[in-house]
Amino acid sequence: MERERRLTLRLPDLLAIPLVGHFLRWRHARTSAQAVLLLAALMLLYDGFFGPPLAPKNLAGVLPWVHWRGLVVLSLLLLGNWFCFACPFLLPRRLAQRVFRPRRAWPRWLPGKWVAVLLLLLFFWAYEAFDLWASPLLTAWVALAYFVGAFVVDGLFRGAAFCKHVCPIGQFNFMGSLLSPTQVTIRNPAVCTSCRTKDCIRGRFSPQGTLLQRGCELGLFQPRKVGNLDCTFCLDCVHACPYGNVGIRFRLPLRDELDPERNRSGIGPLASRTDWLTLVVGLTAIGFLNAFGMVSPVYRFLAWLSRVLGTSNEAVLIAIVFAGGLAILAVAVVGASWLTSRLARRGSTGWVARRFAYTLAPLGFGMWAAHYLFHFFTGALTIVPLFQSFILDVTGRTLLGEPAWRLASLLSLQTTSDLVVLILGLGTAGSLLWTFWLGRKEAFTLGALLPWIVVHASLFLFGVWLFGQPMEMRGTLLG
């Protein structure tokens, strides 16, 4: 423990870095970042509704599916959850709060993450069933629905209900932030102990009772906050703390996240949160299913399934594949939990699952990161001809030059392929380390952990096989 404290003290604080810290402490830092992404979203909406229908030549057909997703996982792995910080969907949400001043609490019969889990499943099913990546118009409608959803939910319910309970993108980012190298945290626990106003959670008020600065709307009390889960990096706690005792510190990824029994402010122990467990297992399964939907063997499998079932309805076939994939991983989790409980002669199947299922998170996000970065590195340079074409369509003039559609890959295909397998391997290593840490904590033998080692190794090998298959080059004219 003492070694961990010394290590934490040596790691720098982003707010102490010149220029960067000055910008982040600026009251309008988040709004300015959101405004930049809002402008990009408005251009995407315009091109999606009125631009060319061919996806690789439309901002809505490429930016969200190639560039945005790639940059999100890069940010989560290298910097932190800064895309939630700059989320453009929260600007209309802020307007809704000012106009409607909601007083309702989020319904108790819709607790935790269940709505977000359902929306994630529906979205990724629709993504494959209706080829959202190939339809700029449908993509624009999805983006518009997101803006409307944030406006309506936070216009009805107080706090950050949309971020905490509804937003599928936010839940994806929360899971990825387990591996992030930064977190919003306190600098000196003694300062928090002596604090009486608790502005970081309650907000800061004037002597007349006027709210000057919001506290954390997601219910994360900084002295008891653990890791990055549910943290949108809004920095309201940074601005609310009258002592400047909240910083953005670098950290060792996963170090604070390992114990599912640890009580987390605003969340509680993960071992008691079935919704979080379902989210982690579901996102892991969908990560592999999403990649499976882009490789050549899936078309042969769908053709076979169509003949067996006597239907050519793609939406139905994709739903069956998704249900089957989710069921396979669920059975693997239950089976590994049962075997571990028997081999360890301790705990029930459920007791083991509520702890060890979370070890899937690094591998699951590793799969997402590898997949998204594959498309990003093979299509990153398409942003140049896309904006050239967009300006040409809007103004009728080649202000940025003729679209250079030959531009596509940032890295060679071989380099990209090697890199994504490395990323998947690092995610697998994180899952194995987490498994061994839990095994040591519970005094389990290596034999008792073997079922989980097999699950992680099997998923890794399946992922390597997927990346070895011909994959659709979505977002480029090569695809």
Side-chain angles (χ1 to χ4, degrees):
M1 181 63 71
E2 186 61 33
R3 179 178 176 274
E4 288 185 357
R5 287 196 186 115
R6 291 198 304 268
L7 182 59
T8 300
L9 290 174
R10 288 199 298 268
L11 295 176
D13 185 334
L14 273 177
L15 296 184
I17 298 176
L19 297 181
V20 174
H22 181 77
F23 172 74
L24 293 175
R25 286 193 300 270
W26 180 38
R27 185 177 179 182
H28 302 293
R30 192 184 196 196
T31 303
S32 62
Q34 290 171 324
V36 172
L37 289 193
L38 177 63
L39 177 60
L42 291 175
M43 289 190 292
L44 183 151
L45 288 171
Y46 177 86
D47 216 24
F49 285 122
F50 307 110
L54 184 63
K57 291 192 173 184
N58 191 297
L59 291 177
V62 180
L63 284 188
W65 309 125
V66 175
H67 299 88
W68 175 75
R69 298 196 304 186
L71 291 173
V72 163
V73 296
L74 280 175
S75 173
L76 287 167
L77 291 174
L78 301 178
L79 298 171
N81 192 8
W82 293 104
F83 271 81
C84 277
F85 168 81
C87 177
F89 302 117
L90 297 190
L91 287 177
R93 166 251 196 181
R94 194 178 304 168
L95 175 63
Q97 289 179 323
R98 289 182 178 179
V99 172
F100 300 110
R101 300 186 180 279
R103 295 289 183 266
R104 300 181 186 87
W106 181 255
R108 291 186 177 181
W109 54 273
L110 286 175
K113 305 296 180 181
W114 293 114
V115 173
V117 169
L118 178 61
L119 289 176
L120 274 167
L121 294 175
L122 288 174
F123 170 77
F124 283 108
W125 165 77
Y127 176 82
E128 294 295 343
F130 302 108
D131 295 336
L132 297 184
W133 54 272
S135 173
L137 180 61
L138 288 179
T139 299
W141 278 114
V142 169
L144 184 60
Y146 228 100
F147 278 106
V148 173
F151 183 87
V152 171
V153 170
D154 282 342
L156 290 173
F157 304 105
R158 67 173 182 263
F162 182 77
C163 299
K164 192 174 185 72
H165 301 290
V166 178
C167 179
I169 297 174
Q171 313 316 312
F172 176 89
N173 290 351
F174 294 152
M175 177 172 156
S177 68
L178 290 169
L179 303 174
S180 293
T182 59
Q183 74 177 59
V184 179
T185 186
I186 60 173
R187 292 168 170 161
N188 186 349
V191 174
C192 294
T193 301
S194 63
C195 178
R196 295 291 176 264
T197 56
K198 314 301 182 188
D199 294 351
C200 64
I201 189 75
R202 296 172 180 168
R204 181 154 46 85
F205 294 83
S206 70
Q208 293 74 34
T210 303
L211 179 65
L212 301 177
Q213 171 62 52
R214 292 187 301 267
C216 180
E217 293 186 307
L218 286 100
L220 305 178
F221 181 43
Q222 274 299 325
R224 298 174 187 169
K225 177 176 175 284
V226 178
N228 283 322
L229 292 183
D230 266 0
C231 181
T232 62
F233 271 51
C234 66
L235 304 189
D236 284 340
C237 55
V238 172
H239 299 300
C241 178
Y243 308 106
N245 195 42
V246 182
I248 308 170
R249 288 196 177 278
F250 283 92
R251 65 169 195 161
L252 292 178
L254 279 181
R255 195 196 70 185
D256 296 326
E257 321 280 5
L258 295 173
D259 190 355
E261 296 179 345
R262 188 175 179 184
N263 193 26
R264 299 162 182 260
S265 177
I267 297 174
L270 287 177
S272 66
R273 292 291 300 267
T274 309
D275 54 336
W276 270 106
L277 185 149
T278 305
L279 178 68
V280 168
V281 174
L283 271 175
T284 300
I286 296 171
F288 285 87
L289 287 167
N290 189 237
F292 181 61
M294 299 184 188
V295 298
S296 297
V298 73
Y299 299 108
R300 294 193 295 271
F301 178 75
L302 289 175
W304 171 82
L305 190 61
S306 177
R307 291 193 300 271
V308 170
L309 299 179
T311 179
S312 58
N313 188 315
E314 187 177 359
V316 173
L317 295 174
I318 294 295
I320 292 171
V321 171
F322 265 56
L326 289 165
I328 288 172
L329 186 57
V331 168
V333 167
V334 172
S337 300
W338 180 82
L339 283 172
T340 294
S341 69
R342 295 302 179 272
L343 292 170
R345 297 182 180 180
R346 180 181 171 191
S348 65
T349 299
W351 184 90
V352 174
R354 288 192 296 272
R355 285 152 181 80
F356 282 84
Y358 287 106
T359 65
L360 290 168
L363 194 158
F365 188 73
M367 185 64 199
W368 282 110
H371 181 190
Y372 284 175
L373 290 177
F374 175 87
H375 291 293
F376 179 74
F377 288 130
T378 55
L381 297 183
T382 56
I383 195 169
V384 176
L386 274 171
F387 275 100
Q388 289 174 323
S389 177
F390 177 76
I391 295 300
L392 176 60
D393 291 341
V394 172
T395 66
R397 303 169 69 178
T398 56
L399 298 178
L400 299 180
E402 290 289 341
W405 296 114
R406 68 185 183 280
L407 296 176
S409 298
L410 187 63
L411 300 176
S412 69
L413 187 58
Q414 183 60 55
T415 301
T416 299
S417 299
D418 294 341
L419 183 59
V420 297
V421 171
L422 174 62
I423 292 170
L424 179 62
L426 291 173
T428 306
S431 289
L432 290 172
L433 287 172
W434 197 342
T435 301
F436 293 139
W437 187 93
L438 281 176
R440 182 180 178 184
K441 175 179 179 291
E442 303 297 341
F444 286 178
T445 65
L446 182 61
L449 300 178
L450 189 59
W452 287 98
I453 296 172
V454 170
V455 169
H456 297 320
S458 300
L459 287 172
F460 170 71
L461 292 174
F462 181 50
V464 172
W465 177 81
L466 285 174
F467 288 120
Q469 304 302 309
M471 185 174 287
E472 288 179 319
M473 306 290 283
R474 297 179 179 180
T476 74
L477 292 176
L478 299 176

